[in-house]
Amino acid sequence: MSPSRVRWVAVSAAALLILIVLARPYFAGLSFVVRAADLHGAVRRAADLETQPSTEREVTIAARAGSLHGRLYEPARSIQRAVLLTSGLHPAGIDEPRLVGLARELAGSGLAVLTPDILELSHFEITPAITDDIEDAAVWLAGQAHTTRGPKVGLIGISFSGGLSIVAAGRASLSDRAAYVMAFGGHDDLPRVLRYLCTGVEPPHPREMRFASDVPPVARPPHDYGVAVILLGVLERLVPPDQVEPLQTAVRRYLWASHLDRVDKPRAEREFAALRDLAGTLPEPSATLLAYVNNRDVVHLGARLLPFVGAYGGAPALSPSKSPKPAAPVFLLHGTDDNVIPAIESEYLADDLRGHAPVRLLLSGLISHAEADRPMHATDIMALAGFWADLLQR
């Protein structure tokens, strides 16, 4: 082989090696998306090459209000970063199947993942105590972490915990402990979200508001789940004291039945039928309120709840818009058609946070509220892969 040919081969090999090194983080993100979406076939077999086995164990987390139960997912080989993964409002808590699946896939990508079992989240209560528990769990995890990238931890919050994780990351105790924070379908201003759930009216885009004062709002029918959660939070203002506990129990039973409707429809239908019968036995106004819940009547129930949303969701600890901003990089991922927390909330979040922290925002048509369950298109997959690649290499 001639010297010029040898040089050409050497240069080409070096260029290919550089390309592989530069592209590897992107392939890691693509592998994660393929596994999280539970795709099959050759693409899944290739994605599995990027994973490592992991273990799971129960842990006790020190917190200001007493210890928290948690579950720690650890990769079998080297740990790159420790991450706090906080669930949304769900009756199954840290046993919710999609949360478990996400934690396992993150662990398979080389992250140690802690899921804290925060009681308020499984009881559908949005309170400042959740933000405190997220902060305390992240501080605890930072003290336990032995990772190749140092002691800082990532925070990932799903649904309402997304915005609360951003609030927690902005607190002094985490100023030098947070590597990044991610909100998956999170909010910027909780009262604004609650008003949307009661009215079905989204606020205008923040950038449009700067150029015109008469931008029309957007109508989007809200999910009845969100309105039922608000009812739980304000029903003490709506019914006599002796009706509070029975109605709380009935609404939580409805929310559990809504979860069952995804996994066991016959059992869910029995629960829904029993709740319809129960509504007929309750005194007023509980009977009417439970009937609204059973009938998914967000119009009439929302109108009853609207006067109370400011008092219920107004604490600064519940909204990034009202709290100190984090300095760590912020990742915002939101489904474009989300009808629990509208995607416009992530756009408000991005505007609020820019100038305080680096922000990466992705609105994806693949994602509905806190899950990826839409038909896959190549461009959407590539965008998600790039987003997760950036986060996973932090």
Side-chain angles (χ1 to χ4, degrees):
M1 186 180 296
S2 68
S4 61
R5 178 67 173 171
V6 171
R7 285 195 298 272
W8 182 86
V9 171
V11 170
S12 298
L16 179 60
L17 179 60
I18 292 170
L19 179 62
I20 291 172
V21 171
L22 292 176
R24 184 166 181 78
Y26 179 83
F27 289 136
L30 181 59
S31 168
F32 176 81
V33 169
V34 167
R35 289 182 282 115
D38 199 23
L39 300 183
H40 299 284
V43 67
R44 178 56 182 265
R45 290 192 293 274
D48 285 342
L49 296 175
E50 286 284 336
T51 66
Q52 57 176 303
S54 61
T55 60
E56 301 167 20
R57 60 187 174 96
E58 308 303 298
V59 296
T60 300
I61 304 163
R64 72 193 73 181
S67 60
L68 292 172
H69 169 245
R71 185 172 297 133
L72 186 62
Y73 302 76
E74 296 175 293
R77 298 192 289 274
S78 65
I79 300 173
Q80 300 170 20
R81 176 75 69 195
V83 173
L84 181 73
L85 173 62
T86 307
S87 71
L89 304 173
H90 197 282
I94 62 172
D95 295 318
E96 198 273 313
R98 291 168 298 176
L99 183 79
V100 172
L102 178 58
R104 287 172 176 166
E105 295 303 342
L106 289 168
S109 296
L111 306 180
V113 181
L114 174 65
T115 55
D117 195 5
I118 298 174
L119 187 63
E120 288 84 355
L121 293 173
S122 57
H123 284 187
F124 299 95
E125 299 170 1
I126 306 175
T127 77
I130 300 173
T131 311
D132 293 343
D133 283 343
I134 293 172
E135 177 190 2
D136 293 346
V139 170
W140 180 87
L141 182 60
Q144 309 295 313
H146 301 284
T147 73
T148 61
R149 296 177 185 166
K152 289 187 176 183
V153 299
L155 289 82
I156 299 176
I158 297 174
S159 184
F160 288 100
S161 291
L164 303 186
S165 294
I166 291 174
V167 175
R171 292 181 171 178
S173 65
L174 290 173
S175 62
D176 59 352
R177 290 186 171 103
Y180 60 81
V181 57
M182 175 191 169
F184 193 161
H187 67 280
D188 180 43
D189 188 88
L190 183 59
R192 185 169 58 219
V193 173
L194 302 182
R195 286 193 294 272
Y196 158 73
L197 289 169
C198 290
T199 64
V201 177
E202 287 186 16
H205 191 288
R207 285 190 292 276
E208 292 176 344
M209 293 287 289
R210 294 181 192 149
F211 299 106
S213 59
D214 58 348
V215 180
V218 176
R220 185 189 303 276
H223 200 292
D224 63 282
Y225 148 92
V227 187
V229 169
I230 299 173
L231 175 60
L232 276 178
V234 305
L235 59 80
E236 291 182 353
R237 302 167 184 264
L238 293 169
V239 301
D242 62 326
Q243 295 186 32
V244 170
E245 186 175 350
L247 187 54
Q248 278 180 335
T249 301
V251 175
R252 288 197 176 107
R253 188 175 172 186
Y254 172 85
L255 289 166
W256 175 253
S258 297
H259 160 63
L260 289 177
D261 198 41
R262 300 179 59 89
V263 296
D264 188 344
K265 287 188 179 294
R267 184 180 169 194
E269 187 47 49
R270 290 194 296 272
E271 282 292 296
F272 287 136
L275 285 165
R276 288 191 291 270
D277 292 341
L278 177 61
T281 69
L282 294 178
E284 291 294 350
S286 289
T288 294
L289 293 171
L290 184 57
Y292 289 154
V293 171
N294 288 335
N295 296 329
R296 305 177 189 268
D297 187 348
V298 297
V299 174
H300 288 95
L301 183 56
R304 295 283 292 271
L305 303 178
L306 185 59
F308 308 106
V309 297
Y312 173 50
L318 297 177
S319 295
S321 63
K322 299 180 175 69
S323 301
K325 308 300 186 280
V330 178
F331 292 79
L332 304 174
L333 179 61
H334 217 124
T336 53
D337 295 326
D338 194 329
N339 65 344
V340 177
I341 300 176
I344 197 73
E345 283 297 309
S346 280
E347 300 196 60
Y348 272 101
L349 255 175
D351 275 19
D352 275 352
L353 295 170
R354 288 189 179 108
H356 300 277
V359 178
R360 177 158 184 167
L361 167 66
L362 177 61
L363 306 181
S364 175
L366 290 177
I367 301 167
S368 61
H369 188 74
E371 57 184 295
D373 62 355
R374 301 298 180 86
M376 289 274 186
H377 300 289
T379 54
D380 292 325
I381 293 173
M382 294 301 103
L384 270 178
F387 181 93
W388 282 105
D390 191 2
L391 185 142
L392 291 171
Q393 68 180 333
R394 296 281 174 170

